């Protein structure tokens, strides 16, 4: 079945596809959005750990739709759900925690300002922070971001305050402020993609504490499914089609994209012709779609005649340490410790650039309470030691655990793109749709591990000042694969990039890729807000291009 031609067909409805859809629909263009996953209703977001975290409510089962991944060249590839984002309308913005940071000006000029580490593929971005700044403003206003503008050595320029004041913070934040200032550091209020008061028809945060891995039951979290897609639907110009799995992009005799072939909810093949195609499935899945879209014009995959699709893959460097505080032991000194306020709202960016180390680029420490998922906590306790813990001993540990508040920090750290970190597709492993799956090799540049350990050491210095009963290092060389980018990076040279500075394919002039794929480097923050801002930037550019015909 072939549909009537649309002006634009967008594959994916998350951080990249959502703002493009809204911008084009407001401008009067007929837009079709194909979304692989469900369109969930707010009442379907419930506090069920098994449903959300251990079933396929958000992410597919790895035996049905695996990614193959390895972290060293000599290892075998293993089936995994690593690097999968939520499969639903809104994509990863539905189950995100909503830590919304902007990149810094240095992120756009890393080579010029800090030099190029040997063995890396780092390049300067083809745009500057100033080029993206007005679209950061637009993204924060459209989504609803809460925060406070505070002075800082690496503070990025802003035109004004956040649209909403900060969320309420637990009293532990004042203790973090105290010890950071003692150490000469600059604690920052963490901006969140969560509305702190009623905003544009959405309810203020209910402070349930279950943000990450869950959908929001009051629509306070600023996912595209509640903040952008409904506005686009109100224009009457958006045709949203959930449960539509894109299989490939067809091209015409000139090599231009002409349609998207997809499977509908019933598993039937349909075709959506469009004047312009926008791919926004996540960095890994967008590259997979292009690589699986082979033709006589593009035998190695769509827009891949230069062999750049899937290259320069990057994630975010992950480190974590935890400070355990006994509620009963501190009830006199810290009577407020047992308060249930879920947000710590403190970040440290004093080591965003570290010029006296072999690496120059660092990242961000984000202080949070440990996730309240009880099954996850019990599983972690039971797995301690050589043989594990069971029975009464486990029950005693769980009782002790309930008497604790556990403060942790996580890192968002630079992941240097390099020739050994990439993805392609494995024609020998097919998903349930019969498509070759993504095969990911995530090999780190040596500077990354040095830098991660440095950040974790610095974070533990802060935690030690709080005098916890237990200080526990959980990771200092990890990878956060849901924070991904680089597989279709933008640039001015078609030999080394897939997209031009407007995120349009160098090879296929009516094809755009608008998600984390475009980013030449990861930055030392979460990429979500940057992806949304770039979506608005590209959307406005597309409007002007389409108006010119």
């Amino acid at each position: 079945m072939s549909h009537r031609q649309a002006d634009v067909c967008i594959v994916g409805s998350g951080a990249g596809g959502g703002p493009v859809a809204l911008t084009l629909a407001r401008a009067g263009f007929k837009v079709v959005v194909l979304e692989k996953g469900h369109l969930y209703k707010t009442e379907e977001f419930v506090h069920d750990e098994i449903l959300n975290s251990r079933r396929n409510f958000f992410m597919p089962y790895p035996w049905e739709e695996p990614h193959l991944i390895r972290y060293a060249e000599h290892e075998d590839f293993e089936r995994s759900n690593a690097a999968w984002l939520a499969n639903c309308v809104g994509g990863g913005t539905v189950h995100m925690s909503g830590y919304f940071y902007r990149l810094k000006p240095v992120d756009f000029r890393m080579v010029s300002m800090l030099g190029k580490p040997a063995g890396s593929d780092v390049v300067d971005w083809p745009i500057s922070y100033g080029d993206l700044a007005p679209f950061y403003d637009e993204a924060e206003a459209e989504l609803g971001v809460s925060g406070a503008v505070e002075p800082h050595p690496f503070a990025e320029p802003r035109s004004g305050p956040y649209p909403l004041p900060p969320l309420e913070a637990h009293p532990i934040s004042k203790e973090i402020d105290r010890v950071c200032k003692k150490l000469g550091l600059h604690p920052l209020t963490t901006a969140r993609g969560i509305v702190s008061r009623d905003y544009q028809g959405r309810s203020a945060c209910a402070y349930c504490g279950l943000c990450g891995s869950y959908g929001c039951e009051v629509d306070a979290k600023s996912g595209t499914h509640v903040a952008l897609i409904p506005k686009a639907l109100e224009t009457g110009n958006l045709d949203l089609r959930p449960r539509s799995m894109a299989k490939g992009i067809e091209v015409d005799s000139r090599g231009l994209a002409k349609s998207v072939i997809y499977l509908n909810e019933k598993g039937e093949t349909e075709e959506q012709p469009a004047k312009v195609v926008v791919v926004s499935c996540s960095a890994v899945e967008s590259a997979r779609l292009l690589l699986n879209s082979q033709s006589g014009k593009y035998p190695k995959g769509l827009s891949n005649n230069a062999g750049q699709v899937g290259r320069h893959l990057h994630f975010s460097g992950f480190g974590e340490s935890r400070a355990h505080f006994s509620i009963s032991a501190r009830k006199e000194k810290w009577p407020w410790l047992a308060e249930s306020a879920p947000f710590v709202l403190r970040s440290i960016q004093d080591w965003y650039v570290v010029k006296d180390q072999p690496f120059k680029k660092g990242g961000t420490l984000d202080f949070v309470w440990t996730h309240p998922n009880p099954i996850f906590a019990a599983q972690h306790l039971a797995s301690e030691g050589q043989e594990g813990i069971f029975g009464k001993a486990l029950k005693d540990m769980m009782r002790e655990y309930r008497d604790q508040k556990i403060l942790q920090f996580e890192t968002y750290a630079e992941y240097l793109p390099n020739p050994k970190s990439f993805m392609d597709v494995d024609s020998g492993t097919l998903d349930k749709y019969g498509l070759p799956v993504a095969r990911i090799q995530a090999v780190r540049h040596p500077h990354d591990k040095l830098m991660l350990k440095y950040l974790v050491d610095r974070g533990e210095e802060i935690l030690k000042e709080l005098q916890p009963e237990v200080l526990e290092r959980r990771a200092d060389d990890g990878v956060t694969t849901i924070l991904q980018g680089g597989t279709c990076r933008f640039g001015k040279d078609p030999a080394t990039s897939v997209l031009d500075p407007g995120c349009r394919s160098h090879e296929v002039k009516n094809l755009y890729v608008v998600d984390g794929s475009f980013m030449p480097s990861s930055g030392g923050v979460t990429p979500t807000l940057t992806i949304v801002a770039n979506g608005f930037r590209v959307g406005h550019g597309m409007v002007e291009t389409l108006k010119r015909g």
Side-chain angles (χ1 to χ4, degrees):
M1 174 183 174
S2 182
H3 293 269
R4 182 177 180 179
Q5 186 184 53
D7 291 320
V8 181
C9 179
I10 303 173
V11 185
S13 58
V20 175
L22 175 58
T23 304
L24 292 170
R26 279 177 169 169
F29 295 101
K30 296 300 181 182
V31 181
V32 172
V33 169
L34 303 177
E35 169 55 55
K36 170 189 171 184
H38 294 266
L39 172 59
Y40 287 125
K41 298 178 181 178
T42 301
E43 53 266 29
E44 294 180 83
F45 296 136
V46 294
H47 294 167
D48 184 334
E49 182 180 351
I50 293 176
L51 173 70
N52 286 271
S53 302
R54 297 170 183 269
R55 296 290 185 267
N56 63 341
F57 188 74
F58 283 128
M59 303 201 189
Y61 292 126
W63 54 88
E64 292 184 343
E65 301 177 59
H67 284 154
L68 304 182
I69 192 166
R70 68 182 181 187
Y71 296 96
E73 292 178 282
H74 64 275
E75 294 177 352
D76 294 330
F77 285 98
E78 295 184 355
R79 285 177 176 246
S80 173
N81 64 2
W84 272 111
L85 304 183
N87 290 180
C88 59
V89 173
T93 67
V94 178
H95 72 149
M96 66 179 178
S97 295
Y99 303 116
F100 274 14
Y101 305 90
R102 295 187 181 195
L103 291 175
K104 315 294 185 184
V106 66
D107 290 307
F108 297 78
R109 295 288 181 269
M110 278 182 61
V111 174
S112 298
M113 297 177 67
L114 303 178
K116 182 174 183 176
S120 75
D121 285 337
V122 177
V123 295
D124 286 343
W125 289 37
I127 63 173
S128 68
Y129 175 85
D131 295 325
L132 198 57
F135 303 105
Y136 274 129
D137 294 343
E138 182 175 6
E140 291 172 352
E142 292 285 3
L143 291 173
V145 178
S146 56
V149 179
E150 296 163 328
H152 187 267
F154 297 110
E156 66 279 2
R158 296 183 58 94
S159 63
Y162 286 95
L164 292 158
L167 294 159
E168 295 180 10
H170 188 280
I172 192 71
S173 62
K174 295 180 180 178
E175 292 299 312
I176 296 172
D177 291 345
R178 176 181 63 80
V179 300
C180 283
K181 291 172 182 176
K182 175 183 175 182
L183 295 170
L185 303 174
H186 304 80
L188 300 171
T189 301
T190 306
R192 300 295 296 269
I194 301 172
V195 297
S196 56
R197 60 189 181 202
D198 293 354
Y199 188 76
Q200 296 182 355
R202 293 159 48 208
S203 299
C205 178
Y207 294 90
C208 71
L210 291 172
C211 300
S213 302
Y214 291 80
C216 182
E217 72 275 20
V218 298
D219 290 342
K221 191 160 52 173
S222 299
T224 62
H225 64 301
V226 294
L228 305 183
I229 298 295
K231 298 172 186 174
L233 288 169
E234 288 173 1
T235 68
N237 293 321
L238 173 61
D239 180 359
L240 175 65
R241 296 181 198 160
R243 301 293 303 277
S244 299
M245 172 61 183
K247 294 182 64 178
I249 299 170
E250 296 288 300
V251 297
D252 61 19
S253 60
R254 300 169 295 170
L256 296 176
K258 70 173 184 178
S259 64
V260 179
I261 306 297
Y262 68 98
L263 298 175
N264 65 18
E265 185 174 0
K266 298 178 181 178
E268 301 165 337
T269 299
E270 298 191 17
E271 181 177 18
Q272 178 55 61
K275 298 174 184 176
V276 177
V277 173
V278 178
V279 179
S280 183
C281 315
S282 80
V284 169
E285 284 297 290
S286 289
R288 178 170 83 121
L289 178 59
L290 297 184
L291 292 171
N292 282 335
S293 299
Q294 297 177 359
S295 64
K297 293 282 187 181
Y298 305 99
K300 297 188 294 184
L302 188 62
S303 194
N304 193 38
N305 286 344
Q308 290 296 301
V309 174
R311 315 305 299 179
H312 319 298
L313 173 65
H314 55 74
F315 298 109
S316 182
F318 176 77
E320 175 190 345
S321 290
R322 295 182 174 184
H324 298 244
F325 301 100
S326 170
I327 296 172
S328 57
R330 293 184 178 239
K331 60 184 178 181
E332 293 186 6
K333 184 177 180 181
W334 285 2
W336 41 260
L337 184 61
E339 289 188 17
S340 60
F343 300 132
V344 177
L345 299 179
R346 287 300 181 271
S347 296
I348 303 294
Q349 292 187 324
D350 287 70
W351 304 289
Y352 206 83
V353 174
V354 189
K355 293 187 177 180
D356 61 349
Q357 297 292 322
F359 57 89
K360 304 303 178 187
K361 186 67 189 306
T364 300
L365 301 180
D366 181 22
F367 288 82
V368 299
W369 294 123
T370 54
H371 201 289
N373 273 347
I375 299 174
F376 175 81
Q379 184 179 23
H380 170 68
L381 293 173
S383 64
E384 290 191 355
Q386 293 292 325
E387 299 179 356
I389 299 172
F390 304 93
K392 183 179 184 301
L394 178 58
K395 291 181 179 179
D396 290 342
M397 287 191 68
M398 292 179 69
R399 291 188 186 98
E400 182 181 351
Y401 178 84
R402 292 181 63 184
D403 184 48
Q404 295 180 14
K405 294 287 281 189
I406 303 177
L407 177 69
Q408 69 181 59
F409 65 79
E410 299 177 351
T411 68
Y412 307 116
E414 195 74 40
Y415 182 115
L416 290 174
N418 67 85
K420 295 182 180 180
S421 188
F422 63 87
M423 62 133 308
D424 55 17
V425 294
D426 184 356
S427 58
T429 306
L430 307 181
D431 65 13
K432 69 177 184 179
Y433 302 104
L435 301 173
V437 306
R439 181 171 57 190
I440 300 162
Q441 179 172 293
V443 176
R444 308 296 301 280
H445 189 279
H447 279 189
D448 290 2
K449 293 186 178 182
L450 291 174
M451 178 265 295
L452 268 176
K453 187 177 184 305
Y454 180 89
L455 286 180
V456 172
D457 287 344
R458 302 290 78 72
E460 287 186 352
E461 290 173 359
I462 297 170
L463 294 181
K464 287 176 183 177
E465 287 291 329
L466 296 170
Q467 300 180 338
E469 277 71 37
V470 176
L471 181 60
E472 173 192 12
R473 180 170 297 200
R474 298 294 298 276
D476 59 14
D477 63 351
V479 178
T480 304
T481 57
I482 59 172
L483 305 179
Q484 54 188 257
T487 55
C488 301
R489 73 178 180 184
F490 70 163
K492 297 179 181 179
D493 184 357
T496 59
S497 58
V498 177
L499 310 172
D500 70 12
C503 288
R504 181 169 67 170
S505 165
H506 289 300
E507 299 177 10
V508 187
K509 295 303 182 182
N510 64 337
L511 173 71
Y512 292 75
V513 183
V514 190
D515 51 29
S517 306
F518 86 98
M519 297 175 65
S521 51
S522 67
V525 295
T526 56
T528 309
L529 184 62
T530 297
I531 295 170
V532 176
N534 185 64
F536 280 114
R537 182 185 73 91
V538 174
H540 287 296
M542 290 178 66
V543 168
E544 296 304 314
T545 299
L546 289 168
K547 285 182 176 179
R548 292 196 301 266

